[in-house]
Amino acid sequence: MTLETRTVRSIGWSATSQLAQLLMQVLMLAILARLLTPSDFGLIAMVTVFSSFVSIFANFGLTSAIVQKKEVSDETLSSTFWINIGLGALLTLAFAASAPLIAAFFAEPRLTPLVVLISTTFFISSFGQVQTALLTKRLNFKALAVISIAATGVSGVISIALAFAGYGVWSLAWLAVLSAFVTVVVTCVYTRWVPHFLLGLQGVKGLLGFGANLTGFSFVNYFARNADNLLIGKFLGAAPLGFYNLAYNLLLFPLNNISNVIGSVMFPALSIIQHDKQLVREAYVTANRYIAVVTFPLLMWLLVAAPQLITVVFGPKWISAIVLVQILALTGMIQSIGTNVGWIYMSQGRTDTMLKWGIFAASIALISFAVGLRWGVEGVAIAYTIASYLLAYPGFAIPFRLIDLKVRHFAAQFQSIILATLTLGIIAFLTSISLERLGVTQDLTILAIVTLASLLSYSAVIFVLDRELFTESVRLLGQLRSIDRE
């Protein structure tokens, strides 16, 4: 089987996994949003601000280094496994001990037991990290798909049951713990790899340079991704953070379920061909075109249809999130392709340059959040959007030098997609306005008609302006559907 075929099939399984998880998560979120309060979600978001930070150090980038390296000995794998276990235990103890400090920071005593429970996820997850790296390195995304779907499904059902039983915010805390546990159990069943009782540090040293820089980047990127949550929670409170967190999660849906679907496969695939710059360049541009052809229209639709979507799916108590969703949809468009430069840095083994850029970008993001905070939660969202677009050009130009790719050549590949997306936005907006003037008041009806108009208008413009992209997208979709015949 050629690398192209393996990559396409891996993307297919990754897409299957993400689509299944997306549907389950939307359903779970819709149910939980009606059973729980915005403050419940805000409390978990407060914990997540710190747990996300601690998770940066969970494996010190060693598992990603395993994927990037051509050959890794079994001794190195076993050593990495035991190091991960030690780090997991240490992080669990440290995070649990910090619970009173986190509660004091937010002036929320309810956070203390929540932090202690969620701290166990670090130790639990450490048992499956090397196995996950092995599956990724082998492009065995069929196994990874089964693992992710099982974890999401089992933990989600139990979380909803707990919410129905009146456990409130604890149903969200147990969701994280159960997801980690099920993931490890199913991963170990699939890989059947058993570590030896070895601790040979010589092999691990070969992974440390890559891993240390990647961890450093993750460290500074954490602040760029979470400083908004931290500032909103600290200065504006749990309820505004709950609204912002819902809007941000909607932004992450297309990023996590489209960009990351392909990205999870492209990193190991590009690592295999890392020395052939032309092949890497062509694969990178092509993959991003396929991402943009889906994420750009999806986010434009989200921007226009947000009033009806929020009301129908989450209920009237979440109306304050509508403006935030519309603002962050603009951010999502540039981020859906902007975050993918990590494929280049990592596959080329240049996490050192990635770290330097991350420090600069995080500094700009932190400044913009601090400035935007004075205008409330909407100000933070606007600041985030402005910062994302200001950083776009250098964010592309620096990694593109590693594979001899020009920014203008890359941007030219998206002209038809951008025009089609703008057309979708105009038609969707005019359709919504026309329906309201005709007296249509049912949000579900408006949402359905606007969605249909968006899909038809976008598909028609892409077909006219870029017939090759249209047919290639259809062909690729056909290939992805064939994965069940493996």
Side-chain angles (χ1 to χ4, degrees):
M1 190 184 298
T2 65
L3 177 61
E4 180 182 358
T5 302
R6 290 171 61 199
T7 301
V8 171
R9 292 196 176 189
S10 295
I11 291 174
W13 281 113
S14 185
T16 299
S17 169
Q18 291 298 104
L19 178 60
Q21 289 183 82
L22 173 62
L23 295 176
M24 288 188 289
Q25 287 169 356
V26 169
L27 178 61
M28 286 160 42
L29 187 57
I31 295 173
L32 291 172
R34 294 177 182 275
L35 295 173
L36 306 175
T37 67
S39 292
D40 291 330
F41 285 90
L43 287 171
I44 292 299
M46 289 175 178
V47 179
T48 302
V49 168
F50 288 92
S51 64
S52 297
F53 173 73
V54 175
S55 67
I56 293 170
F57 308 97
N59 60 66
F60 209 66
L62 295 178
T63 51
S64 294
I66 290 173
V67 176
Q68 196 270 338
K69 292 292 182 181
K70 288 286 188 181
E71 300 291 339
V72 184
S73 68
D74 192 61
E75 179 183 354
T76 300
L77 293 175
S78 296
S79 300
T80 303
F81 176 85
W82 295 115
I83 290 172
N84 285 343
I85 296 297
L87 283 173
L90 181 63
L91 292 177
T92 289
L93 291 174
F95 194 57
S98 70
L101 297 177
I102 295 173
F105 178 82
F106 287 110
E108 270 288 358
R110 292 176 292 174
L111 290 178
T112 300
L114 293 173
V115 171
V116 172
L117 176 60
I118 292 176
S119 71
T120 61
T121 60
F122 299 114
F123 184 62
I124 294 170
S125 297
S126 66
F127 284 86
Q129 290 169 348
V130 170
Q131 293 91 325
T132 300
L134 289 173
L135 292 173
T136 303
K137 189 177 184 69
R138 299 165 186 165
L139 295 180
N140 189 356
F141 282 82
K142 179 178 181 180
L144 292 171
V146 174
I147 293 166
S148 299
I149 292 171
T152 301
V154 173
S155 60
V157 169
I158 296 176
S159 177
I160 290 172
L162 290 172
F164 267 113
Y167 282 84
V169 69
W170 287 98
S171 59
L172 297 175
W174 276 106
L175 176 65
V177 176
L178 291 169
S179 178
F181 178 77
V182 175
T183 296
V184 169
V185 170
V186 183
T187 299
C188 292
V189 170
Y190 255 98
T191 56
R192 297 185 179 181
W193 175 80
V194 179
H196 300 294
F197 290 100
L198 299 171
L199 194 59
L201 298 181
Q202 189 61 39
V204 177
K205 287 181 181 178
L207 306 177
L208 280 176
F210 181 98
N213 284 314
L214 180 59
T215 300
F217 171 79
S218 299
F219 178 83
V220 296
N221 192 53
Y222 160 83
F223 291 101
R225 293 290 183 182
N226 293 281
D228 47 355
N229 286 338
L230 189 148
L231 291 171
I232 292 171
K234 173 66 176 177
F235 295 103
L236 301 180
L241 180 57
F243 292 124
Y244 185 86
N245 196 52
L246 175 69
Y248 194 81
N249 283 335
L250 285 177
L251 158 69
L252 290 180
F253 274 149
L255 298 185
N256 287 339
N257 296 284
I258 299 172
S259 297
N260 289 354
V261 163
I262 298 179
S264 62
V265 179
M266 291 302 295
F267 165 45
L270 292 179
S271 295
I272 294 173
I273 58 172
Q274 58 186 272
H275 299 300
D276 190 335
K277 298 295 178 65
Q278 180 178 349
L279 198 55
V280 170
R281 190 165 56 246
E282 292 173 355
Y284 179 82
V285 172
T286 300
N288 275 281
R289 271 168 55 85
Y290 287 135
I291 289 172
V293 81
V294 178
T295 58
F296 281 23
L298 181 59
L299 288 159
M300 179 60 76
W301 167 82
L302 186 62
L303 187 154
V304 177
Q308 292 77 32
L309 180 67
I310 295 298
T311 303
V312 170
V313 177
F314 301 106
K317 65 182 178 182
W318 292 92
I319 287 177
S320 296
I322 292 175
V323 175
L324 299 173
V325 170
Q326 292 174 320
I327 296 170
L328 292 177
L330 295 173
T331 310
M333 290 184 193
I334 191 65
Q335 287 200 356
S336 66
I337 57 174
T339 57
N340 302 332
V341 296
W343 310 347
I344 300 175
Y345 287 122
M346 294 174 69
S347 66
Q348 297 298 309
R350 294 305 306 271
T351 50
D352 55 336
T353 306
M354 187 179 183
L355 172 58
K356 294 174 184 176
W357 167 252
I359 293 172
F360 174 77
S363 300
I364 298 299
L366 284 169
I367 293 171
S368 65
F369 292 149
V371 172
L373 190 65
R374 63 184 300 177
W375 288 281
V377 68
E378 291 85 2
V380 175
I382 293 172
Y384 187 29
T385 301
I386 293 173
S388 296
Y389 280 90
L390 288 176
L391 293 169
Y393 182 83
F396 286 119
I398 295 171
F400 283 3
R401 293 173 186 169
L402 300 176
I403 58 173
D404 302 322
L405 176 62
K406 301 294 184 182
V407 175
R408 65 175 179 274
H409 172 73
F410 179 73
Q413 309 306 310
F414 298 89
Q415 290 180 359
S416 60
I417 299 173
I418 293 172
L419 287 173
T421 300
L422 291 174
T423 303
L424 179 158
I426 293 170
I427 291 179
F429 177 75
L430 292 177
T431 301
S432 179
I433 294 297
S434 299
L435 289 172
E436 291 178 2
R437 290 183 177 179
L438 289 173
V440 179
T441 57
Q442 292 293 326
D443 288 318
L444 182 59
T445 301
I446 296 175
L447 181 62
I449 296 174
V450 168
T451 301
L452 180 60
S454 300
L455 180 62
L456 292 176
S457 61
Y458 180 76
S459 300
V461 175
I462 285 291
F463 183 79
V464 171
L465 296 181
D466 201 331
R467 188 77 55 88
E468 181 180 357
L469 177 61
F470 184 89
T471 53
E472 282 298 305
S473 298
V474 173
R475 183 185 67 83
L476 179 61
L477 182 60
Q479 284 185 272
L480 297 181
R481 287 177 176 173
S482 69
I483 61 172
D484 60 336
R485 286 176 270 196
E486 287 188 55

